Amino acid sequence: MKQDQVSAETWKKAVDHGFFAIFNVAVGGSYPNKVCGCTSPAADSTSGVGMSVDWFSVKVSQ
């Protein structure tokens, strides 16, 4: 569907509100163990530490 096939009211309902970004740093499978030959998590890993994001960008294509 193209932008001009959607009514102005539908576009307003779709994008005229706040959005949330979800950042996930989970790593699964055998990474990084197969790459580094190590065991994860390392003994000095700390669970439950907060993540700080200075900024992020969203590219809107039309």
Side-chain angles (χ1 to χ4, degrees), residues 28-60:
S30 61
Y31 183 82
N33 296 359
K34 280 188 174 181
V35 176
C36 70
C38 57
T39 302
S40 60
D44 61 350
S45 296
T46 304
S47 179
V49 176
M51 176 175 60
S52 177
V53 177
D54 289 330
W55 65 274
F56 74 99
S57 176
V58 176
K59 180 179 178 181
V60 179

Side-chain angles (χ1 to χ4, degrees), residues 21-28 51 53:
I22 299 173
F23 297 92
N24 185 348
V25 294
V27 177
M51 176 175 60
V53 177

